[in-house]
Amino acid sequence: MARKLPQLQRRLGGRALFSVAYGEIASSIYFALGIVAAYALGFTPYVLLGTGMLFLIVALSYAEGTTELRETGAAATFVRRAFNDLVGFVTGWALFLDYLIVIALAALFLPHYFGRAVGLDELSRGPWDKVTAIGAIVLIVAARLLRRQRAYEAGIGVAAFDLVTQLLLVVLGLALLWSPEALTEGVSLGTSPSWHDIAFALPLAMLAYTGLETVANLAEETRRPGAELPRSVFGGIGLVVVVYAAIATVGLMAFPAADGRTALGEEWREAPLMGIVAALDTHLPDWVHVPLRLYVGLSGAMVLLFAAATSVSGFGRLAYSLGEHGQLPRTFGRLHRRTLVAPESLVAAAAISIAIILTTSLLHQPVAFLASLFSFGVLLAFTAAQLAVIRLRFTEPDRRRPFKVPLNVRVRGAEVPVPAVFGAVATFTVWIIAMATHPAARYAGPAWLAVGLAIYFLVRRERGAGLLEHLRSTDEQVVPEAHFSRVLVPMKLGEIGEEMVATAVRLAQERNGTVEALHVIKVPLELPLDAPMDEHEAQGKASLEEARLLGADHGVTVRGTTVRARSIGQAIVEEARRTGADLIVLGSAPRWRRQSRFFSPTVDYVLKKAPSEVLIVAFPQGVLEEANT
């Protein structure tokens, strides 16, 4: 079976993934709290808690899908694999809308936090809030076009700031604003809020839990997706749900509902956390309150800026997935040396999100409109993703699943995950509620899908392919069908070495083979072969253990060996003979081509002397030479 070789780098670990999960999801409270409170009033904590539980159920299916398929694209990938390219595209196109809305909302709320922090009230009013938002989007995309940055490494610090800020507000709020009576004051379910308001608030509350797609989109760039993705997703979501409920409780203690309204959803809708800071004003001395206002406002602006930036990257990764599978024009499915994803996708994200800001500014309630439209896309994608996981249990029952949705029942020989069934019914029900109660979801959502389907039809017609046909990207590199029972991969420090181990493990996984990982310690001629080389021994032990864990994550046995030699190439050839390897996997660094030769001396030697087939992957210039974002 032909197989796509890795093109994105597997360099993200558990800490980076958790920071993305928490930072992306928790950033939503900065703009979602006021919107939900405007309709749910005193029931805001319960609405957020209920949707958070539903979100956690959905995350179970995402965890299974990402660890099962391990490709970028998240829900669009699950659905394409389970059904067909058309349904997968519809899912991805709906998610495009959500990425764009998060970019727009994060940019729109940023000047409100920044302006209130530094005392520039003009930034909290039009047109300067729109001007600042557009400037922030242009700055983000310009930075991505000019230089690829280590965004997810920086995200660890941003997530820490975010968590500290939110916990600080919860502790101060519960200590200084404690008033259980305020939570029930002016609240009468069915009247204030009305049942219609509760139904209206439920889809809006989905806006509070963005980020799941962004994390799932990193499956192809995660070192150990089977272990690290579920742990990061569940850890991030669980913490967010608790913090959200606590912050909503503090916010309603600060601004109790009265006459069917709360200042949290009116005066402070564009900066609800700054409203909580303002409520603490009378309880704190100036030497504490002023720095607190500055800290919360600036950290909020930074978190929102990071949320917009990661959503731009998520948009680009999703565009790459759709482009390489013939669902968007070819240019979107190509990696770029500087920007990683296609520059065209970054420009498109900026242009469309800016157009959204300008267009919705003409509406009476632009924020509520965007939140309603967000619920249309995310609920559609969540429903499709869970149905895809269920269908894959029937169509590919023997596929290895490092993480499986628990609580299964056997139906027609397949294990059906009950949480996925319940989650699909629940998200589809809320989607129906959104369509019934939100004009934005009812009209603008289908209009967006119609535009996408027109683009999809034109792309397929240009390629001469059917609407349901699965297309393989012209940029995909494939390995012909072969039977390799034992794959030898020499360990090499650095990113190319990591890619080669991943390639060897995937080949062995597809052919039920094993991997022989070899770490060669090159001993200088002036030293005896048994000379003490403790540092090299430690490096070899660590790299072999990492290879073993990667193999275990994919269900592949990896045996590690460390040898000493004068020549690395000779050691590789001898080990291939000793183990009976029928394939040797090597990587060729781009730097050798800059020295007027294609392969390194080691690769040349192995090609001439190898007793088995040799797979050489020559990476293009720049693919593994810059940090990933």
Side-chain angles (χ1 to χ4, degrees):
M1 181 177 68
R3 177 190 155 277
K4 178 187 160 190
L5 290 174
Q7 291 179 285
L8 295 170
Q9 304 173 51
R10 290 193 179 277
R11 55 181 295 123
L12 295 177
R15 286 198 311 162
L17 282 171
F18 177 82
S19 73
V20 174
Y22 184 84
E24 277 286 292
I25 300 170
S27 65
S28 308
I29 197 68
Y30 288 87
F31 48 76
L33 178 58
I35 301 171
V36 177
Y39 298 95
L41 301 177
F43 282 85
T44 299
Y46 305 107
V47 170
L48 290 176
L49 192 61
T51 51
M53 293 299 102
L54 176 57
F55 192 67
L56 194 58
I57 292 173
V58 174
L60 292 171
S61 294
Y62 268 78
E64 177 172 322
T66 51
T67 57
E68 177 183 2
L69 299 179
R70 306 165 189 267
E71 293 181 31
T72 191
T77 297
F78 316 157
V79 176
R80 182 183 67 246
R81 182 65 174 261
F83 299 101
N84 54 59
D85 277 22
L86 176 59
V87 182
F89 171 79
V90 169
T91 304
W93 189 257
L95 290 169
F96 270 148
L97 182 62
D98 291 340
Y99 277 120
L100 294 167
I101 290 174
V102 171
I103 295 168
L105 284 177
L108 276 172
F109 278 63
L110 186 154
H112 291 269
Y113 280 90
F114 184 80
R116 293 177 188 272
V118 299
L120 293 175
D121 293 336
E122 294 80 5
L123 293 180
S124 301
R125 297 189 293 268
W128 292 109
D129 57 343
K130 277 75 173 181
V131 172
T132 305
I134 293 172
I137 294 172
V138 171
L139 179 64
I140 290 169
V141 174
R144 288 284 281 109
L145 289 172
L146 294 174
R147 182 173 181 272
R148 184 146 46 102
Q149 302 171 1
R150 300 185 179 185
Y152 294 118
E153 294 180 9
I156 298 176
V158 174
F161 265 109
D162 194 8
L163 179 59
V164 169
T165 301
Q166 294 177 8
L167 290 180
L168 180 63
L169 289 179
V170 169
V171 171
L172 290 176
L174 292 178
L176 302 177
L177 302 175
W178 177 255
S179 176
E181 298 80 11
L183 297 176
T184 57
E185 182 180 339
V187 176
S188 176
L189 184 60
T191 305
S192 180
S194 66
W195 290 110
H196 179 273
D197 287 337
I198 290 293
F200 197 88
L202 279 173
L204 293 181
M206 298 305 298
L207 182 64
Y209 298 97
T210 64
L212 182 57
E213 274 288 326
T214 303
V215 182
N217 243 336
L218 299 173
E220 200 169 339
E221 300 168 73
T222 304
R223 290 196 186 104
R224 298 173 57 208
E228 290 168 344
L229 268 169
R231 185 165 57 238
S232 301
V233 169
F234 297 138
I237 293 175
L239 185 57
V240 165
V241 171
V242 173
V243 172
Y244 272 16
I247 288 182
T249 300
V250 169
L252 289 169
M253 287 180 180
F255 303 104
D259 300 323
R261 304 174 66 181
T262 171
L264 194 64
E266 300 288 339
E267 178 185 353
W268 296 101
R269 180 181 295 196
E270 282 77 18
L273 269 62
M274 294 300 287
I276 296 175
V277 174
L280 294 170
D281 191 3
T282 58
H283 301 273
L284 295 171
D286 287 344
W287 63 271
V288 175
H289 181 262
V290 173
L292 178 64
R293 183 186 65 196
L294 190 65
Y295 171 75
V296 173
L298 293 181
S299 64
M302 179 181 64
V303 168
L304 289 170
L305 184 68
F306 182 78
T310 52
S311 293
V312 168
S313 293
F315 181 98
R317 281 171 169 79
L318 179 55
Y320 166 71
S321 176
L322 297 182
E324 71 168 351
H325 289 94
Q327 297 166 303
L328 284 179
R330 285 185 175 90
T331 185
F332 290 98
R334 295 173 182 151
L335 296 179
H336 190 269
R337 182 181 63 84
R338 180 181 292 113
T339 60
L340 182 62
V341 296
E344 292 83 356
S345 66
L346 301 178
V347 174
I352 302 174
S353 57
I354 290 173
I356 288 174
I357 291 174
L358 295 175
T359 303
T360 56
S361 66
L362 304 175
L363 302 176
H364 177 60
Q365 292 185 326
V367 173
F369 177 89
L370 290 176
S372 300
L373 195 52
F374 178 90
S375 67
F376 170 85
V378 75
L379 289 167
L380 192 65
F382 282 176
T383 303
Q386 293 173 104
L387 291 176
V389 168
I390 296 170
R391 179 171 171 79
L392 286 171
R393 292 287 190 93
F394 286 93
T395 58
E396 301 184 34
D398 297 328
R399 172 176 282 275
R400 184 175 180 272
R401 295 170 170 87
F403 176 87
K404 291 182 68 173
V405 178
L407 302 177
N408 297 274
V409 295
R410 188 163 289 279
V411 177
R412 295 182 180 178
E415 291 185 327
V416 177
V418 175
V421 175
F422 172 82
V425 172
T427 52
F428 185 71
T429 301
V430 180
W431 185 79
I432 294 295
I433 293 173
M435 295 294 285
T437 58
H438 293 259
R442 189 162 57 249
Y443 299 115
W448 171 260
L449 287 185
V451 172
L453 288 172
I455 294 174
Y456 180 79
F457 174 79
L458 292 174
V459 170
R460 287 295 165 125
R461 189 174 69 172
E462 188 270 334
R463 294 200 176 191
L467 296 180
L468 306 182
E469 181 184 350
H470 174 68
L471 287 187
R472 189 178 299 277
S473 170
T474 56
D475 291 335
E476 283 181 301
Q477 304 173 57
V478 296
V479 177
E481 178 66 37
H483 300 283
F484 304 123
S485 61
R486 185 164 296 168
V487 181
L488 174 65
V489 56
M491 304 298 296
K492 179 181 176 65
L493 297 179
E495 296 166 345
I496 288 181
E498 294 175 1
E499 289 296 307
M500 290 305 96
V501 173
T503 299
V505 168
R506 285 191 177 186
L507 285 169
Q509 181 188 36
E510 292 176 1
R511 294 158 177 82
N512 296 319
T514 60
V515 172
E516 301 289 340
L518 173 66
H519 180 82
V520 181
I521 300 177
K522 187 175 181 180
V523 182
L525 292 174
E526 63 271 17
L527 296 177
L529 277 175
D530 58 353
M533 300 183 73
D534 295 340
E535 182 178 351
H536 292 280
E537 293 280 358
Q539 288 177 346
K541 184 177 180 181
S543 62
L544 292 175
E545 178 62 17
E546 186 72 20
R548 187 190 66 78
L549 292 174
L550 180 63
D553 188 31
H554 290 71
V556 174
T557 300
V558 177
R559 289 187 283 266
T561 304
T562 300
V563 300
R564 292 172 174 240
R566 305 291 187 189
S567 166
I568 296 178
Q570 184 179 359
I572 294 172
V573 171
E574 290 177 356
E575 184 68 12
R577 290 197 180 101
R578 186 186 70 81
T579 60
D582 41 28
L583 178 69
I584 303 173
V585 177
L586 297 174
S588 175
R591 68 186 181 92
W592 292 106
R593 295 192 288 284
R594 293 196 294 266
Q595 300 175 17
S596 300
R597 61 187 305 168
F598 198 79
F599 295 134
S600 67
T602 297
V603 173
D604 278 338
Y605 183 90
V606 174
L607 285 172
K608 293 174 182 177
K609 304 289 186 179
S612 63
E613 293 186 48
V614 180
L615 172 64
I616 307 293
V617 180
F619 292 92
Q621 295 283 351
V623 169
L624 291 180
E625 296 177 343
E626 297 183 40
N628 195 11
T629 52

